[in-house]
C-alpha cells in the first residue's frame, strides 16, 4: 500500500518536473505541436520517452529502497540490528519482588555472521539475568523465568517491564521492540522490523544480479543457465514451427474450400477458446513429462492461432486483386502463389507474433508442472528452496526473452511485409 | 467477326431471403474493335454487373457475351480490367506489377523488362520501376494499373470507375491519358463512370442505363472523344454541343434518381 502511494507520488512528481523542464527548453515545433486538438486524437499521442525512462528507474529505485540495496544512497528504515535490553520485575510465590536484566542481540542471517553469545552475570536475588539471540524480522519467545529460582512455580509472575506493568495477553513497547506476554505468561519479543522487505520475500537488485552471475557460471540443477533457457526456447520454436507448418496450410484450405471449412470449423472454434494450460494435465497423462508432451502442447497452442490467422489472411484478400490476376491470365496455382499467399502474410505475421507469445507463456507453465530443465523448472525449483533471488532472476529473464522474441518478430515483419497497414 | 457483342443479357440475383433483384434485363450491345464506350447511370442500375459479366466473373442468367466470335465463359487475358482502386499487388514493386501479365504468359525476362519500361514511359512513370506501389499517389497507382492492363495486350479494356477515387485535377489529366492510350493502342474500351462530364469527354458512344431492371435507356454518339485526342480537354468542353449534351444527360439522370427516391419513399 505504502509502495503504491510512493509510486503514484513519483508518477505525478515526474510528470510535473518533466513538463516544467521541457517547457523551458521548448524548441521543436513539429506538426503535432501545432495541433490544437490532441485530446482524443490518437496520432497526437506519442509515448513520452522521458516517462518510459523514469518509469523503469522508479521501479528500480523503489525496489532498491525497500530492500536496503547498496546501489542507492537512500532507503526506507531497515529492521533493528544490534543489542536490545530490558529489565523485568518478577514476583515469586512468597510475594517477594526482584529485578533482572535481559540482553538480546538481533542479527541478520543474510550476512552469515552469527554473533557470539552475550556474556552476562546471573546477578543476585531469585530473578536471574538472561540473554538471547533473535534473527532480524523474526520474533522469539524469551523464557526469562526458566533460570529464575522458583520460576517454575505457578504463582511466579512477571509484573513489569522497564517499570511498566504487563499482564498476560497484552503487549508493550520498549525501544526498538515489541514485547507480548502470552496467555501463559511467557514473553515474546519482536524487534522493530522496519519497512524493508525480507530477502526471502524480495531480495535486493544486487542479490539478484549476483545470483545471475553465479548461476550463469555454475549452472543450476545439472544444467547451465544457457541450457535451461535454450531448452525452453527450443521447445517453443519446435512447437511453433510444427503448429505453423500444419496450421497455415490448414487455414489456407479452410479459406479456399467449403468442405475443409465445414469440416474443421467446429474443431477450430471449439479448440480456440481452450487455453493451452488446461491441456497440460491431459498431455502429461497421454505423453508423460518428457519432451514429446511439451512439444505437442506448444504445437496445439500455436496450431489454432496459425490456422485462424491464415484463414483470415485468405478471406481478407480484396476480390479486385483476384479478379485482376485472373484477367491478367493467371492460373489458380499462380493466383495462390502470387496473390493469396503474399496477401495473407501480414495476417500470418500477426498470428505468428501472438502465437510465439502464447507458446512462450505456455512452455514456462508446462515446465512449472514437470521438467528436468527449462526456465520454468528453474524458478519452480528455486521457489521450493525459497531462493527468491533465483525466482526473480528467472522471471526477469523470461520477460526479457519474451520481449526480445516479440521485437525480433516485429523486425522480421517490417522487413518481410513492408506493405502491412499501408 | 471482330469486336465485342453483348447479346440479350439478363441478370437476376436470387437473394437468400427468397426475393430476387433483376440487375439487368435484356441488354444488347455491339461494340466494334477500337471503339471507346462509356456507360453512365444512377447508382445500383447494374453497371458493375454488366462489366463483371463481360469480364467473365459472372455468368448471366440469360444471354451471352461474344468476343471475336468466341463466347465468353470466364475471365481471360484478352479482356483486361482496371479497377477503381486496391487491385495492385502491394507485395510487388511497380515493375513486377506491370510485368505480371507477360510473366503469366511466360514471356522471357528481358522482353518483359523492355515492355515494362516502354509502358511506364507511356503512362508517364518512367524511372518508377523500383518504387513500392504503396509509396505512390492515387493517380500514379491508376497509371500503374493502366500500364499493367496494357502490358497484357488485351483486345478489350474494361474499366469500372477507374478515376473515381482521384481528385478533380488528377482526374482531368488521367482522362487525357486514357484518350491518348485509346488512340495510340487502338484498343476497344468499355468504361464505367459516375461523372457525366467524363462520360461525354471519353465516350465515342455513351450509354445511359436505367435502373430496376437495368437496361439501356439511351445511346449517344459523340464527337468529343475524337476531339480530345488532339485538344486540351478544357477546350473540348467549350466546343459546340457539349453543354447541351451534358445538360440533357444530367436531366435524364436526375429524373431517374428522383424516380428511385420516390419509389423508396412509397415503401
Ligand atoms: N452479388 C450480388 N448479390 C445480390 N444482389 C446484387 C449483387 N451484386 C449486385 N447486386 C444488385 O444488383 C444491382 C446492380 O448492382 P451493380 O453493382 O451492378 O450497380 P452499379 O450500377 O455498379 O452501382 P454503382 O454505381 O453504385 O457502382 C443492385 O441493385 C445490387 O443490389
Ligand atoms: Mg458499380
Amino acid at each position: 500500500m505504502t509502495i503504491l502511494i510512493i509510486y503514484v507520488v513519483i508518477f505525478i512528481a515526474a510528470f510535473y518536473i518533466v513538463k516544467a523542464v521541457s517547457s523551458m527548453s521548448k524548441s521543436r515545433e513539429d506538426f503535432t505541436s501545432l495541433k490544437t486538438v490532441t485530446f482524443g486524437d490518437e496520432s497526437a499521442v506519442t509515448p513520452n520517452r522521458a516517462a518510459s525512462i523514469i518509469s523503469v528507474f522508479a521501479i528500480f529505485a523503489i525496489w532498491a529502497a525497500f530492500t536496503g540495496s547498496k546501489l542507492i544512497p537512500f532507503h526506507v528504515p531497515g529492521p533493528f540490528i544490534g543489542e536490545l535490553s530490558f529489565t523485568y520485575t518478577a514476583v515469586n510465590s512468597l510475594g517477594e519482588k526482584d529485578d533482572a536484566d535481559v540482553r538480546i542481540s538481533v542479527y541478520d542471517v543474510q550476512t552469515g555472521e552469527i554473533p557470539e553469545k552475550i556474556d552476562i552475570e546471573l546477578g543476585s536475588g531469585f530473578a536471574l539475568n538472561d540473554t538471547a539471540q533473535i534473527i532480524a524480522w523474526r520474533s522469539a519467545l524469551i523464557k526469562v523465568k526458566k533460570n529464575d529460582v522458583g520460576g517454575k512455580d505457578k504463582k511466579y509472575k512477571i509484573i513489569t517491564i522497564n517499570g511498566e506493568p504487563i499482564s498476560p495477553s497484552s503487549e508493550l513497547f520498549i525501544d526498538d521492540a515489541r514485547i507480548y506476554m502470552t496467555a501463559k505468561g511467557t514473553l515474546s519479543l519482536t524487534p522493530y522490523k522496519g519497512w524493508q522487505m525480507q530477502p526471502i520475500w524480495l531480495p535486493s537488485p544486487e542479490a539478484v544480479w549476483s545470483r545471475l552471475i553465479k548461476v550463469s557460471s555454475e549452472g543450476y540443477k545439472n544444467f547451465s543457465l544457457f541450457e535451461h533457457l535454450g531448452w525452453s526456447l527450443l521447445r517453443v520454436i519446435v512447437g511453433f514451427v510444427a503448429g505453423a507448418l500444419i496450421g497455415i496450410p490448414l487455414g489456407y484450405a479452410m479459406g479456399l474450400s467449403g468442405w475443409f471449412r465445414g469440416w474443421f470449423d467446429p474443431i477450430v472454434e471449439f479448440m480456440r477458446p481452450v487455453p493451452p494450460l488446461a491441456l497440460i494435465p491431459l498431455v502429461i497423462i497421454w505423453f508423460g513429462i518428457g519432451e514429446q508432451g511439451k512439444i505437442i502442447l506448444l504445437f496445439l497452442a500455436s496450431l489454432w492461432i496459425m490456422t485462424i490467422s491464415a484463414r483470415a489472411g485468405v478471406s481478407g484478400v480484396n476480390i479486385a486483386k483476384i479478379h485482376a490476376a485472373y484477367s491478367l491470365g493467371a492460373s489458380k496455382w499462380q493466383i495462390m502463389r502470387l496473390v493469396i499467399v503474399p496477401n495473407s502474410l501480414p495476417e500470418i505475421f500477426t498470428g505468428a507474433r501472438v502465437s510465439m507469445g502464447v507458446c512462450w507463456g505456455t512452455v514456462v507453465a508446462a515446465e512449472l508442472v514437470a521438467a528436468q530443465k527449462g526456465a520454468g523448472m528453474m524458478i519452480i525449483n528455486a521457489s521450493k528452496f525459497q531462493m527468491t533471488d533465483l525466482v526473480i532472476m528467472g522471471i526477469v529473464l523470461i520477460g526479457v526473452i519474451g520481449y526480445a522474441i516479440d521485437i525480433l518478430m516485429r523486425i522480421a515483419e517490417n522487413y518481410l511485409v513492408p506493405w502491412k497497414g499501408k | 467477326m471482330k469486336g465485342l457483342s453483348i447479346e440479350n443479357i439478363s441478370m437476376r440475383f436470387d437473394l437468400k431471403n427468397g426475393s430476387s433483384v433483376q440487375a439487368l434485363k435484356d441488354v444488347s450491345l455491339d461494340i466494334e474493335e477500337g471503339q471507346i464506350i462509356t456507360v453512365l447511370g444512377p447508382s445500383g442500375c447494374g453497371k458493375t454487373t454488366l462489366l463483371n459479366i463481360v469480364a467473365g466473373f459472372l455468368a448471366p442468367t440469360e444471354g451471352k457475351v461474344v468476343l471475336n466470335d468466341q463466347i465468353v465463359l470466364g475471365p481471360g487475358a484478352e479482356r483486361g480490367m482496371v479497377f477503381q482502386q486496391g487491385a495492385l499487388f502491394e507485395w510487388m514493386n511497380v515493375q513486377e506489377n506491370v510485368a505480371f501479365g507477360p510473366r503469366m504468359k511466360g514471356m522471357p525476362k528481358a522482353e518483359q523488362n523492355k515492355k515494362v519500361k516502354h509502358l511506364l514511359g507511356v503512362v508517364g512513370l518512367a524511372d518508377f520501376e523500383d518504387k513500392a506501389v504503396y509509396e505512390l499517389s492515387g493517380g500514379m497507382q491508376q497509371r500503374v494499373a493502366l500500364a499493367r492492363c496494357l502490358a497484357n495486350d488485351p483486345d478489350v479494356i474494361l474499366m469500372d470507375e477507374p478515376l473515381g477515387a482521384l481528385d478533380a485535377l488528377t482526374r482531368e489529366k488521367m482522362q487525357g491519358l486514357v484518350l491518348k492510350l485509346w488512340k495510340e493502342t487502338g484498343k476497344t474500351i468499355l468504361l464505367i463512370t459516375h461523372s457525366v462530364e467524363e462520360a461525354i469527354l471519353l465516350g465515342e458512344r455513351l450509354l445511359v442505363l436505367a435502373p430496376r431492371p437495368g437496361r439501356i435507356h439511351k445511346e449517344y454518339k459523340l464527337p468529343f472523344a475524337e476531339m480530345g485526342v488532339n485538344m486540351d480537354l478544357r477546350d473540348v468542353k467549350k466546343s459546340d454541343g457539349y453543354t447541351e449534351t451534358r445538360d440533357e444527360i444530367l436531366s435524364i439522370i436526375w429524373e431517374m434518381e428522383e424516380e428511385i427516391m420516390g419509389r423508396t419513399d412509397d415503401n
Side-chain angles (χ1 to χ4, degrees):
Chain A
M1 193 60 210
T2 332
I3 296 178
L4 181 66
I5 293 169
I6 293 174
Y7 191 72
V8 170
V9 168
I10 294 178
F11 176 85
I12 295 169
F15 174 72
Y16 282 107
I17 292 169
V18 169
K19 201 173 158 184
V21 170
S22 62
S23 70
M24 273 190 285
S25 59
K26 186 102 185 168
S27 58
R28 211 173 44 129
E29 285 275 322
D30 63 357
F31 174 63
T32 306
S33 68
L34 297 176
K35 280 186 179 173
T36 52
V37 177
T38 53
F39 186 79
D41 180 354
E42 207 272 333
S43 65
V45 179
T46 48
N48 189 324
R49 286 295 151 218
S52 309
I53 292 167
I54 296 174
S55 161
V56 171
F57 271 99
I59 285 175
F60 265 95
I62 291 177
W63 180 9
F66 277 83
T67 50
S69 163
K70 292 180 187 67
L71 297 176
I72 56 168
F74 53 92
H75 302 111
V76 295
F80 175 82
I81 299 207
E83 200 180 310
L84 285 169
S85 65
F86 63 89
T87 308
Y88 68 93
T89 310
V91 26
N92 66 6
S93 52
L94 303 171
E96 296 164 329
K97 291 184 185 175
D98 190 19
D99 290 351
D101 293 332
V102 182
R103 291 171 66 196
I104 295 164
S105 66
V106 181
Y107 66 99
D108 184 1
V109 268
Q110 296 299 311
T111 58
E113 302 161 19
I114 298 171
E116 305 231 324
K117 267 206 153 175
I118 302 170
D119 270 342
I120 46 156
E121 292 164 13
L122 292 173
S124 58
F126 60 84
L128 300 178
N129 297 343
D130 299 88
T131 182
Q133 291 175 318
I134 299 181
I135 298 169
W137 282 295
R138 308 255 176 94
S139 14
L141 290 174
I142 316 282
K143 294 180 175 150
V144 293
K145 291 192 282 188
K146 205 172 162 191
N147 64 352
D148 291 0
V149 179
K152 294 210 172 66
D153 200 292
K154 277 237 166 77
K155 293 208 174 123
Y156 191 95
K157 269 189 282 190
I158 291 159
I159 48 168
T160 66
I161 284 174
N162 285 353
E164 283 184 51
I166 190 164
S167 56
S169 301
S170 70
E171 60 173 21
L172 60 76
F173 291 88
I174 61 170
D175 285 346
D176 300 318
R178 188 187 74 126
I179 296 177
Y180 176 76
M181 185 182 267
T182 65
K184 285 188 171 166
T186 313
L187 297 180
S188 162
L189 185 137
T190 312
Y192 175 67
K193 288 184 179 174
W195 289 24
Q196 290 182 10
M197 300 278 195
Q198 297 186 45
I200 199 160
W201 286 355
L202 181 67
S204 61
E206 63 260 38
V208 173
W209 178 253
S210 61
R211 174 64 70 179
L212 173 65
I213 304 286
K214 192 153 172 258
V215 172
S216 59
S217 62
E218 294 172 10
Y220 184 72
K221 294 275 159 190
N222 308 329
F223 293 99
S224 71
L225 179 65
F226 182 77
E227 280 173 314
H228 280 298
L229 298 174
W231 270 99
S232 296
L233 211 54
L234 187 70
R235 289 167 183 152
V236 166
I237 290 171
V238 173
F240 165 76
V241 168
L245 282 182
I246 306 289
I248 294 175
L250 181 60
Y252 282 146
M254 288 176 72
L256 295 169
S257 142
W259 181 255
F260 271 91
R261 177 169 295 197
W263 189 276
F264 287 105
D265 242 353
I267 302 176
V268 170
E269 295 302 329
F270 175 76
M271 286 308 291
R272 183 171 64 153
V274 176
L277 297 185
L279 299 175
I280 292 179
L282 194 60
V283 167
I284 290 179
I285 292 170
W286 284 358
F287 302 100
I289 60 167
E291 292 309 314
Q292 198 191 1
K294 285 188 196 65
I295 289 180
I296 286 174
L297 185 71
L298 297 176
F299 163 75
L300 289 175
S302 73
L303 175 66
W304 313 119
I305 300 176
M306 295 315 292
T307 304
I308 289 168
S309 61
R311 188 184 68 184
V314 176
S315 335
V317 60
N318 187 342
I319 188 67
K321 287 187 175 57
I322 303 287
H323 279 172
Y326 270 117
S327 295
L328 291 166
S331 65
K332 274 189 182 163
W333 169 241
Q334 283 167 324
I335 286 182
M336 181 73 201
R337 198 163 51 90
L338 298 171
V339 182
I340 294 176
V341 169
N343 188 77
S344 64
L345 283 183
E347 287 277 0
I348 286 180
F349 256 97
T350 309
R353 263 176 65 191
V354 173
S355 163
M356 277 300 251
V358 170
C359 279
W360 183 242
T362 307
V363 79
V364 171
E367 290 165 355
L368 288 180
V369 177
Q372 262 84 53
K373 46 194 182 278
M377 171 269 166
M378 203 165 64
I379 62 176
I380 197 71
N381 201 286
S383 88
K384 283 180 193 149
F385 295 99
Q386 301 196 320
M387 295 162 76
T388 317
D389 45 0
L390 186 53
V391 172
I392 291 188
M393 180 202 92
I395 292 172
V396 170
L397 286 178
I398 288 167
V400 166
I401 292 174
Y403 192 39
I405 290 175
D406 198 57
I407 289 178
L408 284 180
M409 299 287 283
R410 261 191 264 182
I411 293 173
E413 189 174 35
N414 281 342
Y415 181 71
L416 291 171
V417 288
W419 65 89
K420 187 181 180 186
K422 301 276 171 64
Chain B
M1 192 199 83
K2 281 252 171 184
L4 177 71
S5 70
I6 295 167
E7 296 171 14
N8 307 96
I9 282 201
S10 294
M11 186 74 201
R12 201 183 65 242
F13 289 106
D14 291 321
L15 302 180
K16 285 213 175 77
N17 61 16
S19 65
S20 63
V21 179
Q22 189 75 36
L24 291 172
K25 184 146 204 243
D26 208 17
V27 174
S28 294
L29 182 65
D30 277 308
I31 305 175
E32 283 165 36
E33 202 183 0
Q35 276 187 332
I36 181 165
I37 299 197
T38 51
V39 180
L40 203 56
S43 188
C45 69
K47 304 183 292 291
T48 300
T49 307
L50 179 64
L51 209 71
N52 281 342
I53 290 172
V54 177
F57 303 139
L58 283 175
T61 37
E62 275 163 57
K64 62 184 180 201
V65 176
V66 181
L67 175 62
N68 300 341
D69 293 329
Q70 284 208 300
I71 297 184
V72 168
L73 294 172
E78 72 286 352
R79 283 157 288 131
M81 279 287 264
V82 178
F83 296 87
Q84 184 169 359
Q85 62 184 157
L88 291 179
F89 306 132
E90 289 93 346
W91 44 92
M92 300 179 181
N93 62 20
V94 169
Q95 135 88 29
E96 290 163 327
N97 262 286
V98 177
F100 191 86
R103 185 174 159 199
M104 295 303 101
K105 281 186 194 155
M107 185 189 275
K109 257 259 141 60
E111 214 173 314
Q112 283 180 29
N113 289 344
K114 226 177 89 190
K115 189 151 201 167
V116 171
K117 228 181 169 62
H118 167 71
L119 283 170
L120 286 180
V122 171
V123 299
L125 283 181
D127 302 329
F128 279 73
E129 279 117 319
D130 297 327
K131 274 258 170 5
V133 292
Y134 51 83
E135 291 171 341
L136 302 180
S137 71
M140 290 170 166
Q141 289 184 3
Q142 285 314 80
R143 286 163 196 261
V144 175
L146 274 174
R148 182 174 74 174
C149 182
L150 289 171
N152 222 14
D153 214 9
D155 297 327
V156 181
I157 300 179
L158 307 169
M159 305 195 199
D160 192 356
E161 298 179 41
L163 314 180
L166 305 181
D167 66 281
L169 274 174
T170 314
R171 193 165 184 161
E172 209 173 282
K173 270 195 224 151
M174 292 291 287
Q175 287 165 353
L177 178 64
V178 170
L179 283 181
K180 182 184 128 192
L181 291 178
W182 168 59
K183 207 67 218 173
E184 280 177 8
T185 59
K187 302 278 178 213
T188 313
I189 298 180
L190 186 59
L191 184 147
I192 287 176
T193 173
H194 263 133
S195 151
V196 174
E197 293 208 340
E198 187 166 285
I200 296 173
L201 285 174
L202 301 186
E204 238 186 331
R205 291 166 67 189
L206 187 162
L207 300 179
V208 182
L209 293 196
R212 302 183 192 201
R215 61 202 182 271
I216 295 176
H217 178 77
K218 195 156 184 189
E219 174 171 346
Y220 291 85
K221 288 210 174 358
L222 302 171
F224 307 109
E226 201 63 58
M227 289 161 76
V229 171
N230 305 314
M231 227 158 97
D232 193 82
L233 288 182
R234 287 176 205 202
D235 295 331
V236 174
K237 288 184 195 172
K238 288 180 198 131
S239 57
D240 286 347
Y242 176 86
T243 320
E244 291 76 10
T245 320
R246 192 192 64 190
D247 292 346
E248 187 182 325
I249 295 174
L250 267 176
S251 64
I252 296 177
I253 302 262
W254 265 112
E255 224 167 90
M256 289 179 185
E257 295 273 11
E258 247 161 45
E259 205 179 314
I260 296 172
M261 291 295 183
R263 249 191 278 176
T264 45
D265 283 352
D266 292 345
N267 290 348

